[in-house]
Amino acid sequence: MSDRSYLDHAATTAMLPAARAAWIAASEHLGNPSSLHAAGRFARKVVEESRESIAADLKTRPSAVIFTAGGTEADNLAVKGLYWHRQQTLGAKEPLRVLASAIEHHAVMDPVAWLGDHEGAMIEWLGVDREARVNTTAIGELLSNNSDVALCTVMWANNEVGTIEPIERIAELCKEHEVPFHTDAVQALGQVPMNLGALGADAVTVSSHKVGGPFGVGALIVNPATGFTPVLHGGGQERDVRSGTLDAPAIAAFAVAIKHAVEHQVEHAQHLRELRNKLVQGVLATVPGVVLNGDPDLLDGGRLPANAHFSFPGCEGDSLLMLLDAAGVDCSTGSACTAGIPEASHVLLAMGVDERTSRASLRFSFGYPSTSADVDRVIAALPGAIERASRAVSSRSA
Amino acid sequence: MAMSGGVDSSVAAARMVDAGHEVVGVHLALSRNKTYGDGRQRGCCTLDDARDARRVADKLGIPFYVWDMAEEFAEAVIDDFVEEYRLGHTPNPCLRCNESIKFTAVLDRALAMDFDAVATGHYAQIVQGSAGPELHRAVDPEKDQSYVLGVLQPRQLSHSIFPLGADTKDVIRAEAEARGLLVAQKPDSHDICFIPDGDTAAYLRRQLGSLPGDIVDAESGEVLAQHDGTYAFTIGQRRGLQISRPAANGAPRYVVDVEIGTRRVTVGPPELLDVYALEGIKPIWTTSPLGDTPIELLAQVRAHGVPVPARAHELDERVMVELLVPIRGIALGQAVVLYDGTRVVGSATIASTTRAA
Ligand SMILES: Cc1ncc(COP(=O)(O)O)c(C=O)c1O
């Protein structure tokens, strides 16, 4: 057993050996996928086979796959690209509305807020309930006055508390009202079944490093009939919607990682769920006053199997994180950190958790290398860490 | 190990690691307004500083965390600073920060989490004396920071480590260079980290608004000019008075008095500034209380001031200090730090001064 336990797979997970092998193999070849000569043709073959493989795995068409340099870029393209295109086609002089859940990752939330601050967009932040789930009835009502809605974006599953959102229903509502729908599926990929053809969203974000591929590559899976105004201008490599020389080796490895994620989704979820449930039950049994945040259903009707997210009232999450780090456990406060400065999580605040409790929270997230010994280590380390962290809090308020 | 991202705390951290301690780097976030520095500004509170500190910690192979002390800092240091100025006093925020943040909030949190001590890059020395740890001046008189540490009590000193006090700044810079710490060329930080442009008067004007009043000649009683806030004036100040008429004898004039109720600023010749005795309140003793029999010590009233011989004793929670050599221009609210040779005896906040011999 290794002497540390990495339980932060929602931040990034280990690269799969098969993905690494594909990455290295492709990197041994020279060639720019846009070049016309033999070297270019070879690189293009790698990219196009990867595109087809990803499309098949996600049950969509190859022309739907737009490669980007990661989840953040794909989210930016979806939000800004849909907004600007919608503005163009409506010939709208008046600002348009954007419907966005209040629990989006910063990669969605910040571009949405930016549209509000710089383009005059009117933002409707969609509230969530105590389990972090949006209300589809409320969304339906907002969409019924659809003439000025540029887009609706609701993530597939939340990165902090693991709540799975009712995106099939939202996709339906958006289709009914002819409003483009984007969903950030970065966390959901590999943990829940995914059929993008059936879903019919206009844009879906996926990212490689969350499923065992390399960093810095992702994709926006689009409806080819939906228009996007480019965010990056240049050579127009990806259907004139996205420019930049494609990273063929990373894309090859990404495709292998997605194939693995999709083919092994059921047993992977089973493995994650067993570990997660052992952790949740252990923590609830050993830590008085602890609260499990998000959907309480541990059979995962509505929760990512890899996710456990707790509040430890009377402690500060960043003290706990530091003490668990010293005890060999890597976990996360789950919230945004600028230069490591802990902020109260916007997700927990949107769920109605008070600021103090939201600062008392930690996320543990499992991945394919996780074992039962990792859970044991956390459960062994927690009581001591909690005792010291709560002493640190009372020293502050004294 | 408190790591600001500057040269001093970086070398101090490296020395702590070399000494075999189990070291954790902590950067204090003292402001919620997160900005990147422009590379010129000297400070301790920008995101660049946090990143520099993190790079040093990574290089040393120690864990690194940012502790959010913005609330405590705003309350104990910034609010106090503004309030003191409103009262016509001249506080030293670094002292308050050491007293309430670094060696109280940070130290208590560290001890609660089972750490043994807090180390900082201050230039000062701790010597184990018969009566407990003693705080002494650093060997480098230019860099000595014992003055701003004069607020530490025995319990705090016994959990503090100052790895730099026995060396000069030149040695520390050279060591930073030799260790390959990129911060070696960084300029020293500002006097007041939350006023990065250094314009204290403008900062206070924003906080307190305009409070106009007269500038009056001490000798003639004549109104010489108007000002828009007493907080822009400190006893002993000469520059920035904006008086167009010179004194009758052509001598320079100094602020000799600041009155809050009437908002009157009085200016006069430097002789009026000589202080022969002062009274300090809220004394803090680094090792043991001073006692009520006058003893001969050295008194220092500014961070880089010259210490002068003095006779001091305690009287009802106050410290009475007779200055055997007068000090020119002491503002209320400044700290007097008493030394016995190089040893810091304690400190107090100056509440009144006597100017006639
Ligand atoms: C939900 C979600 N969206 C987007 C991202 C950003 O993806 P990337 O790291 O590939 O830019 C992340 C990862 O932190 C995420 O969890």
Side-chain angles (χ1 to χ4, degrees), chain A residues 10-11 70-73 75 105 107 155 157 159 184 186-187 207 209-210:
Chain A
T72 301
E73 190 203 323
D75 282 338
H105 187 272
M155 65 201 318
N159 49 299
D184 177 334
V186 169
Q187 294 289 335
S207 173
H209 72 101
K210 309 279 184 180

Side-chain angles (χ1 to χ4, degrees), chain B residues 30-346:
Chain B
L30 300 179
S31 161
R32 285 268 164 80
N33 292 331
K34 292 163 291 181
T35 52
Y36 286 95
D38 59 9
R40 282 176 292 122
Q41 241 177 36
R42 303 172 297 167
C44 55
C45 313
T46 66
L47 290 178
D48 288 326
D49 293 311
R51 197 183 52 200
D52 287 346
R54 182 188 300 279
R55 271 301 294 140
V56 170
D58 287 347
K59 214 159 189 164
L60 300 174
I62 58 173
F64 175 87
Y65 302 94
V66 177
W67 282 4
D68 181 2
M69 293 276 167
E71 224 165 278
E72 287 92 336
F73 189 76
E75 222 167 85
V77 182
I78 300 182
D79 291 354
D80 174 78
F81 178 82
V82 174
E83 174 62 10
E84 283 289 294
Y85 265 104
R86 200 181 61 76
L87 296 174
H89 299 164
T90 304
N92 182 322
C94 300
L95 245 94
R96 287 287 89 77
C97 178
N98 285 330
E99 181 182 7
S100 319
I101 308 297
K102 292 192 181 139
F103 298 93
T104 296
V106 174
L107 179 64
D108 288 350
R109 190 169 176 190
L111 294 178
M113 284 162 61
D114 278 356
F115 290 95
D116 301 317
V118 165
T120 71
H122 283 111
Y123 285 79
Q125 303 189 78
I126 293 175
V127 174
Q128 291 310 321
S130 52
E134 298 174 353
L135 178 64
H136 284 257
R137 286 192 191 275
V139 300
D140 184 342
E142 293 286 305
K143 284 300 298 179
D144 173 44
Q145 290 172 312
S146 58
Y147 176 86
V148 291
L149 297 169
V151 288
L152 300 188
Q153 302 181 37
R155 188 190 75 94
Q156 294 164 310
L157 280 179
S158 63
H159 295 290
S160 300
I161 302 177
F162 305 125
L164 305 185
D167 285 301
T168 63
K169 180 81 184 189
D170 291 343
V171 170
I172 301 306
R173 270 198 191 281
E175 183 172 330
E177 200 100 37
R179 288 178 182 272
L181 299 174
L182 290 171
V183 293
Q185 297 307 327
K186 265 181 96 160
D188 280 357
S189 57
H190 245 292
D191 292 337
I192 300 181
C193 66
F194 54 90
I195 308 180
D197 62 5
D199 191 345
T200 306
Y203 177 84
L204 290 167
R205 195 168 308 118
R206 285 195 297 276
Q207 302 294 317
L208 295 171
S210 172
L211 298 166
D214 296 336
I215 299 182
V216 178
D217 187 280
E219 283 157 326
S220 67
E222 213 184 326
V223 175
L224 298 172
Q226 300 291 309
H227 65 77
D228 65 1
T230 50
Y231 46 75
F233 301 90
T234 289
I235 290 177
Q237 173 180 341
R238 180 179 164 192
R239 283 181 304 166
L241 296 183
Q242 286 163 339
I243 302 170
S244 44
R245 272 172 297 159
N249 61 1
R253 281 181 291 208
Y254 294 81
V255 174
V256 297
D257 219 347
V258 176
E259 250 181 80
I260 292 309
T262 58
R263 296 185 194 163
R264 194 193 341 240
V265 172
T266 310
V267 298
E271 303 83 72
L272 292 181
L273 290 169
D274 284 348
V275 171
Y276 295 86
L278 56 84
E279 210 179 294
I281 54 169
K282 299 187 219 155
I284 293 171
W285 307 112
T286 55
T287 312
S288 54
L290 184 62
D292 50 14
T293 332
I295 53 171
E296 300 226 347
L297 295 167
L298 296 165
Q300 185 176 329
V301 298
R302 289 183 193 90
H304 299 289
V306 178
V308 302
R311 204 173 287 127
H313 68 282
E314 274 184 277
L315 182 71
D316 304 333
E317 304 277 295
R318 285 169 301 156
V319 191
M320 318 305 287
V321 182
E322 185 191 341
L323 299 171
L324 303 179
V325 175
I327 297 178
R328 189 158 275 186
I330 299 181
L332 304 189
Q334 282 177 219
V336 55
V337 176
L338 298 170
Y339 291 84
D340 180 7
T342 62
R343 180 174 73 86
V344 176
V345 175

Side-chain angles (χ1 to χ4, degrees), chain A residues 126-364:
Chain A
L126 308 169
V128 295
D129 63 16
R130 196 70 196 193
E131 295 177 11
R133 199 160 283 113
V134 293
N135 182 330
T136 51
T137 314
I139 294 175
E141 280 163 19
L142 286 167
L143 286 170
S144 62
N145 171 18
N146 65 342
S147 61
D148 63 344
V149 179
L151 72 136
C152 173
T153 175
V154 176
M155 65 201 318
W156 197 313
N158 180 263
N159 49 299
E160 291 188 32
V161 296
T163 301
I164 297 170
E165 300 297 331
I167 53 144
E168 288 85 358
R169 178 68 190 132
I170 301 170
E172 246 170 57
L173 287 167
C174 285
K175 205 171 296 169
E176 198 177 300
H177 294 99
E178 296 177 346
V179 168
F181 175 54
H182 165 246
T183 186
D184 177 334
V186 169
Q187 294 289 335
L189 181 60
Q191 294 196 45
V192 301
M194 223 167 249
N195 182 334
L196 298 190
L199 178 68
D202 295 277
V204 180
T205 298
V206 289
S207 173
S208 150
H209 72 101
K210 309 279 184 180
V211 291
F215 294 103
V217 61
L220 191 65
I221 314 294
V222 302
N223 175 349
T226 306
F228 293 82
T229 300
V231 172
L232 297 184
H233 299 269
Q237 284 86 343
E238 290 288 272
R239 302 169 56 81
D240 278 340
V241 168
R242 196 271 183 184
S243 293
T245 300
L246 292 174
D247 183 345
I251 287 169
F254 182 25
V256 170
I258 287 190
K259 179 162 295 302
H260 187 273
V262 170
E263 282 178 357
H264 298 276
Q265 186 269 321
V266 173
E267 71 254 34
H268 182 54
Q270 177 70 20
H271 170 234
L272 298 173
R273 186 177 305 119
E274 274 166 19
L275 294 174
R276 194 274 315 278
N277 289 357
K278 178 175 166 181
L279 177 70
V280 169
Q281 279 145 12
V283 169
L284 294 181
T286 49
V287 182
V290 67
V291 177
L292 175 71
N293 295 308
D295 192 317
D297 174 12
L298 298 183
L299 298 175
D300 294 328
R303 183 180 194 115
L304 291 180
N307 176 285
H309 189 285
F310 303 101
S311 292
F312 301 94
C315 297
E316 280 192 4
D318 58 324
S319 296
L320 275 178
L321 184 135
M322 171 169 173
L323 292 160
L324 288 174
D325 185 359
V329 175
D330 296 329
C331 62
S332 160
T333 52
S335 61
C337 270
T338 308
I341 299 169
E343 282 174 9
S345 149
H346 67 277
V347 175
L348 294 172
L349 295 179
M351 290 160 66
V353 176
D354 66 86
E355 173 144 0
R356 186 179 274 269
T357 308
S358 78
R359 284 177 183 278
S361 303
L362 282 186
R363 176 187 72 188
F364 299 89

